[in-house]
């Protein structure tokens, strides 16, 4: 077995902080939405608003980091091995086939992940942020732009939240599809992934 | 060694730092601001009072109250000009109606209500609350300053009570009773001062013919109430007087009652003292963009004594077998039926209705015809889309009152007369003559055919502010419950109350499909592995 550096310290901090923030946003958000009572409506509103600010600050730092390190390239979609990746999840995985894409520090996402995560980054996150900010601060929704009582904004925000929950469910499950059940999660904790020895790579990974 | 360092680093970036961020988020986010303690010194405590007992002119014998007014004005000159321009004197003012209905001269004098229908033609009874002497009919001289009654507002002895049925004239030797004796003019005049709540309350508590009949949030109990009933006026609390909020400059009193007012000006605002960020808390303060202070801070009204919610004139006039007028009482010992007035429904500790309101109101005027039932006697203007509108707590007074079947106009009724046989309803219980006289007095046509129509009046609530422990809580409005305070206020999205069914159902479907997919996929993996 060979240990390969996949995730930097910042990426791991980013991932787990974002996870906690998203969970907090989800739990409080659905309480505000009226689905259950947990913290109490007022506490949920306060926590939701505070978590939103944390989420936005983290987002700004992360965008900066992605740009200056060039790691944003990980999220650029590719058609290469796209079909193979789908075939792996729909059939290969049941036959014990090996992963069609190999992970590395410069290529940490498979073609499917690239599309899904890019969607998350440029669709769900900005929509949630903009609609959320509108609802927090745009209290005269007719002036200057008629936002029709923010109906569209809140409906979009709610739908985004449902998509987010669905993403988390599938995302957590997908962590079990690594070389072993725990391989992916371990990588997100230690930063290193254990690859089978025969697929040994010689290039030295940056820390 | 390297391995241990890596583990420590991982521990820091994966657990410690994220935990710190979340802790900080929760710690700084979940905090309610602490309102700044608000200090107010009542005007009565800081204003020096002149000792009127020293003035010789007030030591003379006053035969008529008008002579006393003349004495007042001999020092307080020009105050009569201020008063005679006021709505308290004219009972009407020039005003612009919303909905492009133009400029009209309206007020208490010539507006219809759904209590006793209208003041005009009932001067003896209604004009008891006019700030003048003897507006008993159209001959009253509005240009004679000695007709002004200074005492009714400035008496600080609590002994100046004008008799019933006297059109604003105090009792004279001929008609004095134990309850309403001839006032001791020298005593009262030598003890005048700024109006006390007793002065304002003499009229404003008793509109509609009894304590708390009309407003629901203004009544006798507030002369001596607990903080629970009214935080501002409570004897054991701030003990404020009416004019501490209804600031008055040169007899122009701020404040609007939208049963008679139409324009968004000269109002008394909570914000004048409390500012528009009184909670020192962003989320709560921002509610004020769309929610009036009153909405949360007056969770119920008629807290001490009941108020009339429903008044049905259509069943008035019933007598017992001997033709005598009858009175029936409800369980709270309030009259539920009076031959002279009809059926009443009282209620106390009432939850308000909630409406969008921008400070302007329309009115059902003489000559307006019924186009919708129930007829809106006054209409509070406002909507979610309107920048100036806020959600406001309102008392809705419903009832049935007579209208002309032919013209579809709501009619004036002469209810009051000093004695029977003159056609007044309270004396003779006959609608035709009572309406005829009422309509004639104001110069309106009456076909002779009447029936009764359901009407509504809207009274924005401003008084009986509760202590902060009793204000509305978030989930009183932000709830899917049908009992939510704003359950019926449509036209905007309220978090916690509203949701788009399609989006929610689709969303849950996506979540369930994701879960099923995950379960199916993992089962297939397990099965495949075993094989």
């Amino acid at each position: 077995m060979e240990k390969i550096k996949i995730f930097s310290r910042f990426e791991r901090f980013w991932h787990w902080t974002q996870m906690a923030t998203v969970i907090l946003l989800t739990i409080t958000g659905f309480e505000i939405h009226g689905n259950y009572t947990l913290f109490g409506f007022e506490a949920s509103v306060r926590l939701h608003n505070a978590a939103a600010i944390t989420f936005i600050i983290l987002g700004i730092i992360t965008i900066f980091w992605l740009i200056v390190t060039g790691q944003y390239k990980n999220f650029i979609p590719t058609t290469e091995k796209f079909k193979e990746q789908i075939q792996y999840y729909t059939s290969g995985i049941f036959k014990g086939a090996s992963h069609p894409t190999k992970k590395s520090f410069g290529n940490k996402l498979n073609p499917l992940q690239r599309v899904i995560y890019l969607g998350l980054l440029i669709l769900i996150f900005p929509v949630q942020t903009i609609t959320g900010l509108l609802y927090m601060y745009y209290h005269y929704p007719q002036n200057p732009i008629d936002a029709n009582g923010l109906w569209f904004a809140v409906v979009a925000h709610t739908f985004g939240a449902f998509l987010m929950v669905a993403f988390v469910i599938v995302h957590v499950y997908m962590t079990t599809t690594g070389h072993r059940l725990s391989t992916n999660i371990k990588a997100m904790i230690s930063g290193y992934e254990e690859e089978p020895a025969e697929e040994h790579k010689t290039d030295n990974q940056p820390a | 060694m390297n391995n241990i360092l890596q583990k420590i680093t991982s521990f820091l970036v994966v657990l410690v730092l994220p935990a710190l961020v979340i802790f900080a988020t929760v710690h700084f986010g979940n905090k309610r601001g602490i309102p700044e303690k608000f200090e107010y010194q009542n005007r009565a405590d800081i204003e020096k009072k002149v000792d009127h007992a020293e003035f010789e002119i007030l030591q003379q014998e006053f035969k008529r109250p008008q002579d006393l007014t003349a004495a007042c004005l001999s020092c307080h000159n020009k105050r009569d000009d201020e008063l005679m321009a006021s709505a308290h004197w004219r009972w009407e003012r020039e005003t612009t109606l919303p909905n492009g209905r133009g400029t009209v001269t309206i007020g208490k004098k010539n507006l219809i209500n759904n209590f006793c229908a209208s003041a005009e033609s009932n001067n003896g009874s209604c004009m008891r609350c006019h700030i003048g002497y003897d507006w008993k009919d159209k001959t009253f001289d509005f240009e004679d300053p000695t007709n002004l009654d200074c005492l009714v507002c400035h008496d600080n002895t609590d002994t100046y009570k004008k008799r019933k049925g006297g059109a604003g004239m105090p009792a004279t030797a001929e008609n004095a009773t134990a309850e309403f004796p001839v006032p001791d003019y020298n005593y009262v005049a030598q003890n005048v001062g700024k109006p006390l709540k007793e002065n304002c309350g003499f009229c404003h508590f008793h509109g509609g013919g009894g304590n708390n009949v009309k407003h629901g949030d203004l009544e006798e109990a507030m002369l001596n109430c607990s903080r629970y009933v009214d935080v501002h006026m409570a004897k054991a609390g701030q003990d404020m007087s009416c004019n501490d909020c209804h600031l008055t400059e040169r007899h122009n009193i701020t404040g609007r009652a939208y049963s008679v007012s139409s324009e968004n000006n000269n109002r008394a605002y909570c914000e004048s003292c409390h500012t528009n960020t009184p909670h020192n808390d962003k989320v709560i303060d921002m509610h004020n963009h769309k929610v009036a202070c009153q909405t949360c801070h007056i969770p119920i009204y008629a807290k001490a004594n009941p108020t009339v919610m429903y008044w049905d004139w259509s069943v008035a006039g019933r007598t017992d077998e001997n033709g005598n007028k009858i009175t029936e009482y409800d369980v709270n010992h309030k009259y539920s039926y009076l031959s002279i007035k009809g059926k009443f429904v009282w209620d106390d500790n009432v939850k308000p209705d909630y409406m969008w309101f921008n400070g302007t109101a329309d009115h059902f005027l003489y000559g307006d015809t019924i186009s919708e039932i129930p007829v809106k006697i006054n209409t509070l203007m406002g909507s979610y889309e309107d920048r100036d509108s806020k959600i406001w707590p309102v008392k809705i007074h419903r009832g049935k009152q007579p209208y002309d079947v032919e013209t579809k106009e709501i009619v004036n009724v002469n209810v009051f007369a000093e004695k029977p046989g003159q056609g007044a309803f309270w004396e003779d219980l006959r609608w035709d003559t009572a309406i005829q006289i009422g309509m004639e007095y104001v110069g309106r046509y009456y076909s002779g055919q009447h029936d009764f129509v359901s009407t509504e009046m809207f009274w924005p609530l401003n008084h009986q502010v509760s202590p902060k422990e009793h204000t509305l809580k978030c989930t009183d409005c932000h709830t899917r419950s049908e009992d939510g305070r704003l359950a019926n206020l449509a036209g905007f999205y309220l978090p916690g109350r509203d949701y788009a069914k399609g989006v929610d159902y689709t969303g849950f479907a996506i979540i369930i499909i994701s879960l099923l997919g995950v379960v199916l996929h993992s089962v297939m993996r397990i099965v495949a592995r075993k094989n």
Side-chain angles (χ1 to χ4, degrees), chain A residues 3 8-10 12-14 16-17 20-21 24 30-35 41-47 49-52 54 89-90 93-95 135-137 139-143 148-151 154-155 158-159 162-163 165-167 169-170 173-174 176-178 181 188-192, chain B residues 3 6 9-15 17-19 21-22 25-33 281-284 286 289-290 384-387 474-475 478 480 491-500 503-508 510-511 514-515 517-525 528-529:
Chain A
K3 276 177 121 187
S8 71
R9 290 184 291 267
F10 177 79
R12 286 175 282 151
F13 163 75
W14 166 34
W16 293 110
T17 308
T21 313
L24 189 58
F30 279 97
E31 170 159 17
I32 295 166
H33 193 53
N35 294 93
F41 188 89
E42 182 177 340
S44 267
V45 169
R46 292 182 192 286
L47 290 173
N49 290 353
T54 304
Y89 286 128
T90 51
I93 190 170
F94 306 119
K95 297 168 188 161
Y135 214 73
M136 279 163 84
Y137 296 107
H139 293 150
Y140 298 107
Q142 283 67 42
N143 199 347
N148 190 23
L150 289 174
W151 185 265
V154 289
V155 162
T158 312
F159 192 65
F162 279 113
L163 290 183
V165 173
F167 167 80
I169 291 168
V170 176
Y173 172 70
M174 296 299 263
T176 67
T177 61
L181 286 181
M188 199 36 101
I189 292 171
S190 68
Y192 290 89
Chain B
N3 203 14
Q6 270 183 11
T9 313
S10 295
F11 182 68
L12 280 175
V13 299
V14 167
L15 203 65
L17 281 178
V21 171
I22 294 303
T25 302
V26 172
H27 180 76
F28 294 110
N30 191 21
K31 246 187 204 159
R32 179 190 275 208
D281 184 291
K282 207 168 177 187
V283 178
I284 302 178
M286 283 199 299
H289 293 178
K290 290 287 184 191
Y384 171 78
E385 288 78 14
D386 174 11
R387 197 183 175 104
C474 305
T475 46
H478 295 281
R480 294 190 180 182
F492 65 104
Y493 186 95
L494 179 63
R497 179 191 73 173
D498 294 324
Y499 59 100
V503 170
D504 270 34
Y505 291 171
T506 311
F508 282 119
I510 291 171
I511 289 177
S514 305
L515 281 171
V518 161
V519 169
L520 187 71
H521 201 264
S522 45
V523 167
M524 284 167 72
R525 275 168 71 196
R529 191 179 253 189

Side-chain angles (χ1 to χ4, degrees), chain A residues 35-94:
Chain A
N35 294 93
Y36 48 78
T37 302
L38 185 69
F39 300 119
F41 188 89
E42 182 177 340
S44 267
V45 169
R46 292 182 192 286
L47 290 173
H48 197 79
N49 290 353
I53 300 300
T54 304
F55 183 84
I56 289 168
I57 293 171
L58 184 66
I60 290 168
I61 295 171
T62 305
I63 288 166
F64 176 77
W65 182 87
L66 286 173
I67 291 169
V68 296
T69 58
Q71 288 288 320
Y72 68 89
K73 289 177 190 142
N74 278 299
F75 297 96
I76 293 169
T78 172
T79 51
E80 200 186 328
K81 297 202 176 167
F82 193 84
K83 248 168 82 185
E84 287 86 336
Q85 193 66 40
I86 292 176
Q87 277 167 358
Y88 172 74
Y89 286 128
T90 51
S91 85
I93 190 170
F94 306 119

Side-chain angles (χ1 to χ4, degrees), chain B residues 128-148:
Chain B
R128 181 191 184 204
C129 272
H130 180 238
I131 58 158
Y133 294 124
D134 213 13
W135 181 5
K136 63 178 185 293
D137 53 34
K138 288 179 195 163
T139 62
F140 182 76
D141 186 357
F142 282 92
E143 310 308 322
D144 178 358
T146 62
N147 278 339
L148 284 163

Side-chain angles (χ1 to χ4, degrees), chain B residues 430-445:
Chain B
R430 288 194 47 221
W431 280 113
D432 286 339
T433 50
I435 297 171
Q436 193 67 48
I437 295 168
M439 294 295 273
E440 255 169 39
Y441 185 92
V442 295
R444 296 172 68 197
Y445 166 78

Side-chain angles (χ1 to χ4, degrees), chain B residues 449-460:
Chain B
Q449 299 295 311
H450 79 275
D451 201 350
F452 296 87
V453 64
S454 295
T455 58
E456 290 177 335
M457 261 191 107
F458 302 88
W459 297 74

